[in-house]
């Protein structure tokens, strides 16, 4: 289990995102990283539970060699070794043994929709593609790995709601979502106890332009 967070702001807010990341540090207690991307004004934070590749090269956020695509990923891709071999045959060079880099290069080779037909696993991930100026937020079919987002005062996304509410200036209760959570243990699919915080639905991806 790992955790990640991202939002659009100024570089001066690094201290704020570090505090927001600390709220979900239980998801990845092995190490953490916060970066600011000058091209997109995204502040990105990741806390890591090291499993596949424990090297520093595999630490996220992970970028391609051209620094045009950024990925943050939580989960496990069961067939990543086979996909890695296919990508090597297509002349991709790998600097890690991680399934995260397989997702990154797989996206570059096949595009998102075709990539999703090839991977087998449990996952939530976010790709920031600077070439097309889009953010892609993806969740596995069964919703095993969480992914929340808000468009309140700019895009924010995280593995847990508490980071988003911390970063948001104002949040209002979603009465129906709160009641559903109270009695069933979960909100209605796609909603949360907060009006301006949503979840990426299981088996779906969202594109933020």
């Amino acid at each position: 289990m790992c955790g990640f967070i991202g939002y659009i702001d100024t570089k001066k807010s690094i201290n704020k995102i570090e505090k927001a990341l600390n709220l979900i540090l239980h998801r990845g207690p092995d190490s953490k990283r916060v970066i600011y991307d000058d091209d997109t004004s995204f502040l990105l934070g990741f806390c890591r539970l090291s499993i596949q590749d424990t090297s520093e090269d595999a630490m996220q956020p992970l970028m391609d060699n051209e620094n045009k695509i950024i990925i943050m990923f939580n989960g496990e891709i069961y067939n990543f070794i086979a996909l890695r071999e296919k990508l090597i045959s297509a002349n991709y060079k790998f600097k890690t043994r991680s399934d995260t880099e397989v997702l990154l290069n797989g996206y570059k080779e096949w595009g998102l929709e075709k990539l999703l037909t090839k991977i087998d696993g449990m996952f939530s991930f976010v790709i920031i593609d600077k070439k097309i100026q889009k953010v892609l937020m993806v969740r596995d079919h069964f919703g095993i790995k969480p992914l929340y987002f808000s468009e309140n005062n700019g895009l924010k996304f995280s593995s847990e709601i508490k980071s988003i509410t911390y970063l948001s200036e104002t949040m209002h209760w979603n009465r129906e979502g709160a009641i559903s959570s109270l009695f069933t243990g979960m909100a209605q699919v796609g909603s949360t106890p907060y009006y301006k915080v949503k979840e990426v639905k299981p088996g779906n991806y969202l594109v933020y332009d």
Side-chain angles (χ1 to χ4, degrees):
M1 182 170 69
C2 298
F4 58 77
I5 181 173
Y7 77 114
I8 299 172
D9 209 322
T10 67
K11 193 173 184 178
K12 296 179 181 179
S13 297
I14 284 182
N15 185 57
K16 190 173 183 180
I17 197 173
E18 286 180 340
K19 291 181 178 179
L21 186 62
N22 286 339
L23 295 175
I24 61 171
L25 200 58
H26 58 277
R27 302 187 65 88
D30 292 333
S31 58
K32 66 177 182 178
R33 175 184 287 170
V34 170
I35 67 168
Y36 179 77
D37 183 67
D38 291 294
D39 297 330
T40 61
S41 298
F42 260 106
L43 281 154
L44 302 170
F46 186 82
C47 54
R48 181 185 192 187
L49 180 65
S50 301
I51 298 176
Q52 294 286 1
D53 182 340
T54 60
S55 69
E56 183 63 22
D57 285 339
M59 182 59 176
Q60 302 179 46
L62 194 66
M63 302 181 188
D64 69 340
N65 293 331
E66 299 173 334
N67 194 26
K68 293 298 183 182
I69 299 174
I70 307 171
I71 187 170
M72 290 196 293
F73 162 63
N74 171 33
E76 183 179 358
I77 305 302
Y78 306 137
N79 61 334
F80 83 96
I81 294 177
L83 294 176
R84 188 177 189 272
E85 292 303 315
K86 290 182 179 180
L87 289 164
I88 290 173
S89 297
N91 295 321
Y92 281 86
K93 306 296 183 182
F94 284 81
K95 61 183 180 181
T96 77
R97 303 290 298 181
S98 69
D99 46 0
T100 309
E101 192 174 15
V102 169
L103 285 177
L104 177 61
N105 286 332
Y107 168 74
K108 294 177 68 173
E109 175 68 11
W110 300 307
L112 182 61
E113 291 193 359
K114 191 171 181 180
L115 172 65
L116 292 176
T117 67
K118 292 179 178 291
I119 58 177
D120 177 22
M122 52 180 182
F123 52 85
S124 65
F125 62 88
V126 173
I127 291 174
I128 300 173
D129 190 332
K130 302 180 194 180
K131 293 180 179 179
I132 59 174
Q133 293 293 298
K134 295 183 187 297
V135 180
L136 312 171
M137 297 178 281
V138 186
R139 197 171 176 207
D140 65 74
H141 284 84
F142 296 101
I144 298 173
K145 296 300 180 181
L147 181 52
Y148 301 93
F149 70 98
S150 173
E151 295 179 272
N152 184 30
N153 296 319
L155 178 66
K156 304 174 183 69
F157 56 82
S158 179
S159 300
E160 294 193 19
I161 296 173
K162 65 181 72 173
S163 293
I164 295 176
T165 57
Y166 174 80
L167 293 170
S168 301
E169 295 178 4
T170 57
M171 277 290 160
H172 300 288
W173 281 101
N174 174 1
R175 185 174 180 272
E176 292 182 357
I179 291 174
S180 177
S181 295
L182 179 64
F183 286 100
T184 68
M186 61 183 68
Q188 296 175 345
V189 175
S191 68
T192 73
Y194 296 92
Y195 272 118
K196 294 183 179 180
V197 181
K198 305 295 182 183
E199 69 166 350
V200 177
K201 295 179 181 180
N204 280 259
Y205 70 86
L206 298 178
V207 179
Y208 183 86
D209 193 339

